Amino acid sequence: MRIIHFLVVCALVYAASYVYRIKMDSTARTERVLRLHAQVREQREAIAVLRAEWARLDAPRRLQILAERHLKLKPIEATQFDSLKNLPERPPSLVPPGTSDPIGAMIEIVDPDVVTGSLPSSEDPR
């Protein structure tokens, strides 16, 4: 009978230590969850501060003041425009009418010795 009592007491001690370990694990996990919640809250507050700062920096009135201070921009005046008759003459056309490849014709007229990379030259030994 004493052996049974001893085994029951040992089982109770083991069960109590097991329950205590479970309780400590749950307490540690609860503390970890609370720390994570605090970190999330801090990050959200940091994001809110950054958004507020961005809104302040991106305010149209502030940008206008900075542009006036640092850029030498002035409003356009009517005297800055010129009439169409004062425009220079249109340059002569480099492409003869009816050419199927206008870009190739312009290259041939401007510099006949230039060989582009897309077309192999007639002298290329390959």
Side-chain angles (χ1 to χ4, degrees):
M1 194 67 171
R2 289 184 176 205
I3 293 177
I4 293 175
H5 287 160
F6 179 73
L7 290 176
V8 168
V9 168
C10 288
L12 286 174
V13 168
Y14 177 75
S17 65
Y18 185 71
V19 169
Y20 178 75
R21 195 176 109 209
I22 291 175
K23 180 185 176 194
M24 293 307 291
D25 286 345
S26 67
T27 302
R29 290 182 183 199
T30 302
E31 289 175 358
R32 185 168 184 257
V33 168
L34 291 174
R35 272 185 270 139
L36 290 174
H37 281 294
Q39 287 177 351
V40 167
R41 186 174 46 247
E42 288 174 4
Q43 293 297 319
R44 285 186 178 163
E45 289 173 0
I47 290 171
V49 168
L50 290 174
R51 284 187 177 159
E53 187 174 341
W54 178 259
R56 186 185 63 83
L57 293 174
D58 200 29
R61 178 68 186 143
R62 179 183 171 277
L63 293 176
Q64 178 70 29
I65 291 171
L66 288 175
E68 290 173 357
R69 183 184 313 159
H70 297 291
L71 300 177
K72 303 298 179 200
L73 299 177
K74 296 178 182 175
I76 297 175
E77 297 177 9
T79 59
Q80 293 175 314
F81 294 107
D82 203 0
S83 64
L84 290 177
K85 66 181 179 181
N86 293 334
L87 288 176
E89 292 286 328
R90 186 175 184 171
S93 177
L94 296 175
V95 179
T99 304
S100 62
D101 185 13
I103 296 175
M106 285 193 292
I107 291 173
E108 286 292 325
I109 291 171
V110 171
D111 193 1
D113 295 334
V114 171
V115 177
T116 60
S118 61
L119 298 174
S121 71
S122 59
E123 300 167 0
D124 194 9
R126 288 189 258 165

